[in-house]
Amino acid sequence: MRIVSANLNGVRSAANKGFFDWLQSSGADVVCVQELKAQLPDMSAAMLAPAGYHGFFHPAEKKGYSGVGIYCRRAPDRVVEGLGIADIDAEGRYLRADFGQLSVISLYLPSGSSSEERQQVKFSFLERFMPHMRALIAEGREVIVCGDWNIAHQPIDLKNWKGNLKNSGFLPEERAWLSELFGHGWVDVWRTLYPEAPGYTWWSNRGQAYAKDVGWRIDYHISTRGIAAQAQAGSIYKDIKFSDHAPLTIDYAGAL
C-alpha cells in the first residue's frame, strides 16, 4: 500500500509542471494533496479525477487559497470534509477518507510565518486540533494523517535550526505541541523508519535553498501505532520540482 503526501502550492501550477504525469507512474494507492489554491470549477477533469483515481476535495472559501484533496484508486467507504469548526473549515484544511478499518487524512496546518496575526491563528488551530487527534485515537481505527504540518519537530528536521529558534515553524511551543501529540500514541513514520535521515520536504524560494538543500521537514505521515508498524520504506521525490515541497511517499505492508 503506497501513500503519498504532496503540498502542490497550486494544483494548476503543479499540473503544468507534470505532477499528474508523475502521479500515473507513481504506483500510489492514495495521494493526499494540500494547498490546492483552486475551487472545483477552476479544476480540469484531469485534476478532478485523474485516470485510475477517484478525487475528493475540501477547497477554501477564499479563491486561490489553501484547500486539500485526496486521490485514491479504491473508492472510500466514507469521506468527511472538514472538522466541523467554521473558521477552520472555511480555509479548507482537513479531508478524511475511510477504507475499511483505515482512515487516511489530508491535512494542511496553518502557517504563521506571514504575520503575528497568522501565528495566533496557528496557535488557535493547534489548541483545537489536539482534542480531535485524541478523539481519532479513541475511535480505535488505524489512521494516517498526511500533510503539511508547518512544524519542524527537532534540529535534525531543518538545516539551519539555530537560526530559526524564534521563527514560526520551529518555535518551542509548536515543537512541544508535536511532542505532546507523539506522547498520545501518534507516530512520526519517517523518523521511525529513518532516525538519522533529515528528510527535508520544503525549501524556501529565497537564495539557493533548493540547490544547496537548505530545507525543512514539515510534511509528515503521522499515524496510529498499528499502521506505523506496517511502514516498510519511505522516499522523497526530487527529480522534478512540482512545488516548493517535494512529494513524500511511504510504503506500508498489506493492501488497501
Side-chain angles (χ1 to χ4, degrees), residues 2-86:
R2 176 165 291 178
I3 299 180
V4 175
S5 184
N7 180 313
L8 301 181
N9 195 14
V11 64
R12 291 167 289 185
S13 172
N16 290 336
K17 295 172 183 173
F19 176 78
F20 289 98
D21 295 328
W22 173 80
L23 174 63
Q24 293 300 326
S25 64
S26 68
D29 296 292
V30 182
V31 180
C32 296
V33 295
Q34 302 87 41
E35 216 170 348
L36 294 170
K37 292 187 173 181
Q39 287 148 323
L40 301 189
D42 304 321
M43 297 170 63
S44 69
M47 296 174 197
L48 292 168
Y53 290 90
H54 306 272
F56 301 90
F57 309 94
H58 180 32
E61 292 178 6
K62 181 180 175 182
K63 287 198 170 188
Y65 181 73
S66 192
V68 292
I70 296 176
Y71 296 109
C72 44
R73 291 190 183 277
R74 171 184 157 186
D77 304 317
R78 182 172 77 129
V79 175
V80 180
E81 186 176 334
L83 288 166
I85 303 172

Side-chain angles (χ1 to χ4, degrees), residues 47-239:
M47 296 174 197
L48 292 168
Y53 290 90
H54 306 272
F56 301 90
F57 309 94
H58 180 32
E61 292 178 6
K62 181 180 175 182
K63 287 198 170 188
Y65 181 73
S66 192
V68 292
I70 296 176
Y71 296 109
C72 44
R73 291 190 183 277
R74 171 184 157 186
D77 304 317
R78 182 172 77 129
V79 175
V80 180
E81 186 176 334
L83 288 166
I85 303 172
D87 61 305
I88 292 174
D89 293 348
E91 294 192 349
R93 297 194 174 276
Y94 181 96
L95 185 66
R96 167 178 167 174
D98 292 348
F99 306 90
Q101 287 302 304
L102 173 68
S103 296
V104 181
I105 294 167
S106 184
L107 174 74
Y108 181 36
L109 200 148
S111 169
S113 60
S114 63
S115 67
E116 180 55 34
E117 179 185 2
R118 287 305 298 178
Q119 184 62 44
Q120 293 309 311
V121 168
K122 184 177 185 179
F123 282 141
S124 175
F125 181 101
L126 295 177
E127 182 180 353
R128 291 179 289 170
F129 194 54
M130 183 65 79
H132 178 78
M133 292 295 285
R134 297 177 82 165
L136 281 175
I137 288 276
E139 284 187 34
R141 301 171 57 80
E142 296 298 339
V143 184
I144 305 171
V145 186
C146 296
D148 177 358
W149 291 70
N150 267 311
I151 303 170
H153 186 219
Q154 301 289 358
I156 190 176
D157 297 317
L158 70 169
K159 185 75 169 182
N160 181 22
W161 67 270
K162 288 182 180 177
N164 282 288
L165 289 166
K166 295 183 179 180
N167 290 337
S168 181
F170 200 58
L171 293 174
E173 303 97 316
E174 298 170 337
R175 298 168 60 203
W177 185 90
L178 268 186
S179 294
E180 181 183 350
L181 186 72
F182 298 140
H184 288 316
W186 291 96
V187 178
D188 178 349
V189 178
W190 176 273
R191 188 53 67 226
T192 301
L193 285 170
Y194 307 111
E196 297 180 2
Y200 304 145
T201 59
W202 175 81
W203 299 262
S204 170
N205 286 320
R206 296 181 209 157
Q208 297 292 312
Y210 190 80
K212 295 179 180 178
D213 200 27
V214 180
W216 294 56
R217 187 174 76 98
I218 56 176
D219 301 270
Y220 296 79
H221 287 215
I222 293 180
S223 72
T224 47
R225 287 174 177 157
I227 191 67
Q230 300 299 311
Q232 297 176 317
S235 61
I236 296 162
Y237 182 81
K238 291 186 68 182
D239 291 355

